[in-house]
Amino acid sequence: MVCFRLAPVPGSGLLLLCLVLGAVSSYALELNLRDSENATCLYAKWQMNFTIRYETTDKHNKTVTISDLGPATYSGSSCGDDQNGPKIAVQFGSGFSWIVNFTEEKSFYSIDSISFSYNMNDNTTFPDAKEKGVFTVSDHVAFRVPLNDIFRCNSLLTLGKNDVVQHYWDVHVQAFVQNGTVSTKEFLCDKDKTLTTVLPIVPTTVPSPTTTPSPKEKPEVGSYSVVNSNGTCLLATMGLQLNITHDKVASVININPNTTNFTGSCHPQTALLRLSSSSIKYLDFVFAVKNENRFYLKEVNVSMYLVNGSVFSIANNNLSYWDAPLGSSYMCNKEQTVSVSGAFQINTFDLRVQPFNVMEGKYSTAQECSLDDDTILIPIIVGAGLSGLIIVIVIAYLIGRRKSYAGYQTL
């Protein structure tokens, strides 16, 4: 965690900013806002990115995703006063800003409105934009939270208006913090409430579940991508089957791409593809460059809700799968297993992935896995056949010699 202590912000007291930099997550921020008495008045931790569609000079529509917000500043963030409520203000990039306002009413506080401004004059992000200028989209949220509760939403939240889609996840926020202490009592968003609902107790007359998972059909293949300012930077096509062992009970879950959200980020040495759904908080595939000329799957992180309402989380940042040269894609049509831990494995089907150097939104030439390479079977079969023939000849020779020796024995 990297913390920045800034000079007092007028009307808000001392501002303490903490940026939590994940491995390659879109951008995680943590804000602890203090008043003039150095007591916490507002706390927030969240992740977000923005997808913007715009018209190019040649009258085509183009989409860009802004996921790397650093370095960010927080000028204008405030604890609030008698006239105005608390406010989080974030500035990043070249003329981009994001503001959320809070209001208080009796025993509740509200996440009142969210606004996002983006600068179409930024030629790095919008190199061929037809319209220029700074544009702002505002959404009236009016989400009410009980005072002294911290709002939590690990699920993916989406706000869409005009040509802008805003994504938020892993959100923890409390405005009007009481007595300078952030509450431990959580108020969940509707998506998290649905996921954490505990199932009714099963009557004792019903047989207990077996520890052997029921067979699963082959999962549906989904197509996923990540877009940054330069266009599509990551491509992935695959069917995913999760094998989970929890409390000695094994289960198999097929991921449905039609109900799965995806986001991510691209960097020179790392790339992230994050999947999420109503039951999966996040399933992260983290890719890395090695030896400056190859890429591989380095890390998998998962956190999801099981049918009994419990949370299953596993992380492994020391993997070595899906290795291929930079500038190419990795392909494996046959079933392949990524062993994340003893309790969590991922079966992939019809896999093709390219996390770096994507050109014109298309896959480059693929390096196939050894499972797909049927030509390797030919020398194996020929070698096995020759070995068997040699063994037969040797055995026949030994038997022949033994018989010839027997003919010369003394009577």
Side-chain angles (χ1 to χ4, degrees):
M1 180 181 294
V2 182
C3 295
F4 301 85
R5 186 177 295 276
L6 305 182
V9 176
S12 65
L14 185 65
L15 185 63
L16 178 67
L17 303 176
C18 298
L19 274 63
V20 181
L21 304 181
V24 284
S25 58
S26 291
Y27 206 76
L29 305 108
E30 184 172 1
L31 170 65
N32 189 353
L33 195 59
R34 298 180 182 271
D35 59 22
S36 58
E37 298 179 356
N38 201 31
T40 298
C41 61
L42 186 151
Y43 176 79
K45 182 172 67 174
W46 75 104
Q47 296 195 62
M48 62 182 180
N49 66 22
F50 309 91
T51 299
I52 303 168
R53 187 181 66 178
Y54 66 96
E55 186 179 359
T56 62
T57 52
D58 57 359
K59 297 184 179 180
H60 289 88
N61 288 325
K62 193 172 182 178
T63 300
V64 61
T65 296
I66 302 172
S67 56
D68 188 354
L69 312 185
T73 59
Y74 300 81
S75 176
S77 297
S78 169
C79 292
D81 51 33
D82 294 337
Q83 302 298 323
N84 302 292
K87 176 173 67 175
I88 298 174
V90 184
Q91 302 84 35
F92 54 94
S94 177
F96 296 82
S97 63
W98 180 82
I99 297 174
V100 56
N101 293 286
F102 302 87
T103 58
E104 182 183 12
E105 48 181 313
K106 297 182 180 178
S107 58
F108 292 88
Y109 67 91
S110 295
I111 304 172
D112 187 58
S113 62
I114 296 176
S115 63
F116 170 59
S117 298
Y118 55 100
N119 183 14
M120 296 281 282
N121 296 317
D122 180 8
N123 291 324
T124 301
T125 307
F126 308 100
D128 49 359
K130 178 181 178 181
E131 293 187 75
K132 297 294 183 179
V134 177
F135 299 86
T136 301
V137 291
S138 298
D139 288 280
H140 185 63
V141 181
F143 190 89
R144 300 175 71 199
V145 181
L147 279 175
N148 206 33
D149 281 12
I150 184 169
F151 172 71
R152 190 205 82 185
C153 195
N154 291 323
S155 302
L156 185 68
L157 297 174
T158 301
L159 289 178
K161 189 172 184 180
N162 299 335
D163 294 322
V164 178
V165 178
Q166 306 177 51
H167 295 109
Y168 307 97
W169 66 95
D170 292 343
V171 177
H172 297 74
V173 61
Q174 182 181 359
F176 303 97
V177 174
Q178 306 294 302
N179 302 319
T181 303
V182 177
S183 178
T184 58
K185 184 179 179 183
E186 295 181 331
F187 184 82
L188 307 183
C189 65
D190 290 340
K191 286 187 176 181
D192 281 13
K193 286 178 183 177
T194 302
L195 297 177
T196 56
T197 301
V198 179
L199 298 178
I201 298 175
V202 179
T204 55
T205 54
V206 177
S208 59
T210 176
T211 58
T212 303
S214 57
K216 279 280 185 180
E217 61 184 10
K218 183 178 177 180
E220 184 177 348
V221 176
S223 295
Y224 312 100
S225 62
V226 176
V227 179
N228 63 10
S229 58
N230 297 319
T232 301
C233 59
L234 184 152
L235 291 170
T237 304
M238 52 191 171
L240 295 173
Q241 187 176 80
L242 310 184
N243 295 271
I244 299 169
T245 302
H246 185 68
D247 292 337
K248 298 182 179 181
V249 177
S251 57
V252 178
I253 300 171
N254 284 348
I255 289 185
N256 182 359
N258 300 315
T259 58
T260 300
N261 300 307
F262 55 93
T263 184
S265 59
C266 298
H267 303 271
Q269 296 295 316
T270 56
L272 165 71
L273 172 64
R274 166 170 284 197
L275 307 182
S276 61
S277 66
S278 60
S279 61
I280 300 175
K281 293 167 61 178
Y282 56 81
L283 174 58
D284 290 348
F285 296 90
V286 181
F287 301 88
V289 174
K290 67 177 181 180
N291 302 327
E292 298 183 356
N293 60 2
R294 300 186 72 84
F295 72 82
Y296 69 106
L297 177 66
K298 181 182 185 296
E299 182 177 346
V300 170
N301 306 310
V302 65
S303 183
M304 59 185 298
Y305 298 98
L306 303 180
V307 292
N308 62 358
S310 61
V311 177
F312 176 84
S313 298
I314 290 289
N316 188 335
N317 63 357
N318 194 30
L319 302 175
S320 185
Y321 292 95
W322 307 350
D323 187 301
L326 282 176
S328 67
S329 59
Y330 176 86
M331 184 169 68
C332 197
N333 291 318
K334 294 185 179 178
E335 181 179 354
Q336 189 179 31
T337 300
V338 175
S339 182
V340 182
S341 72
F344 183 60
Q345 299 84 39
I346 303 175
N347 295 337
T348 62
F349 302 81
D350 299 316
L351 168 71
R352 191 169 187 180
V353 62
Q354 184 171 346
F356 300 99
N357 301 347
V358 176
M359 304 298 292
E360 299 180 351
K362 299 177 181 179
Y363 284 110
S364 299
T365 303
Q367 174 170 307
E368 297 187 43
C369 64
S370 58
L371 295 174
D372 284 355
D373 190 1
D374 294 332
T375 59
I376 197 173
L377 295 177
I378 297 175
I380 292 176
I381 294 172
V382 172
L386 290 175
S387 298
L389 179 60
I390 292 171
I391 291 172
V392 170
I393 293 173
V394 171
I395 292 174
Y397 172 74
L398 293 175
I399 293 175
R401 289 195 62 184
R402 181 172 297 179
K403 287 183 178 181
S404 63
Y405 283 132
Y408 290 99
Q409 289 179 355
T410 303
L411 296 176

